Amino acid sequence: MGIVLKQSLKNTTITYIGFAIGAINILFLYTKILPDAYFGLVNVILATAAILMPLMAFGIHNTMVKFYSSQKEGEKDAFLTLMLLSPLLALIPLAIATWFFYDDIAAFLSKENEIVKDYVWYIFLVAFALAYFEVFYAWCKVHLKSVFGNFLKEVFARLCIMVLLGLYYYEIISLDFFIMALVGVYLLRTLIIKFYAYSLRSPKLDFNFPKETKQILNYSLLIILGGSAALVLLEIDKVMINQFVAIENVAYYSVAVFIATVIIVPSRAMHNITYPLTAELLNSNKLPELSKLYQKTSLTLFIASGILFLLIVLNLEELHQLLPEAYRGGVYIVLLIGLAKVLDSLLGNNNAILYNSKYYKTVLLFGVCLAVLTILLNLWLIPSMGIEGAALASFSAICLFNLLKLWYVNAKFKIQPFTAATGKVLGTLVVLGVLFSYLHFSFHPIINIILKSLLLVAIYAGILYRFKISEDVNGVLSKLFNRLK
């Protein structure tokens, strides 16, 4: 776990910095600077582009990680050439379709909210940028260099958006220019990671593609389904809210979801390095090491996500006092999405195991079926329950999907992520949650949040350290305590 923990800690730090900037943007700048309708529009553009991303990337960002370690040195240039060109198989037809059917696409997306009509090409460009960013980022990951790419992904764009919001606030740029520049930020980010990826290994065009090219492309086609299904589970709610209710509701929903999404930060950071390591263990058929990695990642991420869930829930009332009135109604959404994120984290590197194994086709089928279920649940629940219905639909689908993946890994590999330590962490979290629910301060909301959070984290860390629940977490805490001494 040495390299995993080292890069995960760096990535976690970077990701939290990114989320801190994102929190400032979403909770305090977007909500107070941008009109609610345009904040909703930004979310619709980004969510729709995210759903299109796996298709435009042609699944290459996962394919590269799976097959790179099995390529001989002399075949790697041909493999890279194939990886760089394959997304064009989807990008070119999509661009042509958008050109010829622009009016129909625009009419569909703007059925409820006319404002979306003029921004179809913006969605396409952002999706293009997201797709090739992930391709080049995967190239960095297979060289076990994930930190700079993570900085670009988590910090760079948010920092640029913060600057753009400031420029709009001081009337230096117009609202239309702001949205245009937003698209430019994502394109620039892709260009930067491209040069960084090339600095790790300069590509040489070689059209003598690998012998297993057919197998590689078949895998990519299936990964498109899996990646699309996964992002449908995560993003379709925002797109479908736009189809049924006023676009301002997308903004209100997105703020609540962002608050809950903080829980997944440690998982996102750790997966950047565990994904290629999992692929390597599977390719080498090292099941005992894989089982150990599975359990360690699960425990570490459960420890982190569990305390984050408590911090959010116990401070939600104070946090809402800092937001404009229209954004304070998302308690139900935060709870549901937050619990779903904790379950995601509890599964450790489950996704990496499944998508890099020979059983990925079955898992992709599960994902597609659940993506369809998510859409159907949204169609049913949003008209009757509004944005709370979208949250319930996402929660139900994500939980079902995770339970299926948990069962399937255990059935096929005879490994599962839970240990006795998992129960100890769960018990600790429940007890602390109950005790701190009765703790209230009468100071300013920010002071209340800081005091309650510091006290909760200190007690939690003390319990983990005293009872040595996690070897990896204890190692980090020991270093921290030694530095403090």
Side-chain angles (χ1 to χ4, degrees), residues 4 51-52 66 104 130 141 190 199 256 267 293-294 296 331 370 384 409 418 422 475 481 483:
V4 174
I51 292 173
L52 289 173
K66 177 174 174 61
D104 295 321
L130 293 175
K141 288 178 184 178
T190 301
S199 74
S267 177
L293 182 64
Y294 192 22
K296 283 195 171 187
V331 175
L370 282 165
S384 59
V409 168
F418 310 127
T422 307
F481 292 155
R483 288 180 182 177

Side-chain angles (χ1 to χ4, degrees), residues 2 21 57 74 83 92 106-107 147 167 180 229 240 263 274 276 298 308 343 353 374 398 413 420 433 436 454 475 478:
I21 297 170
M83 295 297 96
I92 293 174
V147 176
L167 293 174
M180 190 184 305
M240 294 188 71
I263 293 168
T274 57
S298 171
L308 286 172
L343 183 57
I353 293 172
T374 303
I398 290 171
F413 295 93
F436 274 79
L454 288 175
S478 294

Side-chain angles (χ1 to χ4, degrees), residues 98 102 105-107 109 116-125:
T98 304
Y102 181 92
I105 296 170
L109 292 175
V116 182
K117 188 173 183 178
D118 297 327
Y119 295 93
V120 174
W121 278 114
Y122 288 60
I123 293 171
F124 179 89
L125 289 174

Side-chain angles (χ1 to χ4, degrees), residues 25-26 29-49 109-110 113-117 119 123 165 175 178-179 182 235-243 245-255 326-327 387:
N25 287 348
I26 290 177
L29 298 183
Y30 269 124
T31 56
K32 297 180 180 179
I33 293 176
L34 226 57
D36 293 355
Y38 277 88
F39 185 17
L41 173 65
V42 168
N43 279 287
V44 169
I45 291 173
L46 297 180
T48 309
L109 292 175
S110 61
N113 298 288
E114 187 69 20
I115 192 174
V116 182
K117 188 173 183 178
Y119 295 93
I123 293 171
L165 285 167
L175 197 52
F178 168 82
I179 297 178
L182 184 75
E235 301 288 353
I236 195 64
D237 43 10
K238 298 172 189 173
V239 178
M240 294 188 71
I241 289 170
N242 170 64
Q243 295 297 103
V245 295
I247 200 168
E248 290 86 350
N249 288 280
V250 181
Y252 309 147
Y253 181 82
S254 298
V255 168
Y327 291 88
I387 56 177

Side-chain angles (χ1 to χ4, degrees), residues 1-2 5 9 270 292-293 295-301 303 419 421-422 424-425 463-479:
M1 284 286 285
L5 193 59
L9 287 173
M270 183 176 283
K292 186 176 180 180
L293 182 64
Q295 292 182 345
K296 283 195 171 187
T297 54
S298 171
L299 181 60
T300 301
L301 293 177
I303 287 171
T419 64
T422 307
K424 294 177 183 178
V425 174
I463 293 172
L464 293 175
Y465 186 74
R466 171 65 180 81
F467 295 100
K468 299 179 180 179
I469 294 176
S470 166
E471 177 186 339
D472 291 321
V473 173
N474 253 52
V476 173
L477 291 175
S478 294
K479 291 180 181 179

Side-chain angles (χ1 to χ4, degrees), residues 4-34:
V4 174
L5 193 59
K6 184 177 179 181
Q7 289 209 33
S8 292
L9 287 173
K10 289 181 180 179
N11 283 328
T12 299
T13 302
I14 290 171
T15 306
Y16 270 115
I17 292 171
F19 264 74
I21 297 170
I24 295 171
N25 287 348
I26 290 177
L27 301 180
F28 305 111
L29 298 183
Y30 269 124
T31 56
K32 297 180 180 179
I33 293 176
L34 226 57

Side-chain angles (χ1 to χ4, degrees), residues 158-202:
R158 291 182 171 117
L159 198 58
C160 290
I161 290 169
M162 177 182 282
V163 172
L164 291 174
L165 285 167
L167 293 174
Y168 172 70
Y169 177 76
Y170 288 106
E171 299 182 350
I172 298 174
I173 62 174
S174 66
L175 197 52
D176 285 339
F177 186 86
F178 168 82
I179 297 178
M180 190 184 305
L182 184 75
V183 176
V185 166
Y186 285 94
L187 292 169
L188 176 61
R189 187 183 68 164
T190 301
L191 193 62
I192 293 171
I193 196 154
K194 170 188 172 181
F195 289 124
Y196 178 68
Y198 286 178
S199 74
L200 298 176
R201 182 187 177 95
S202 181

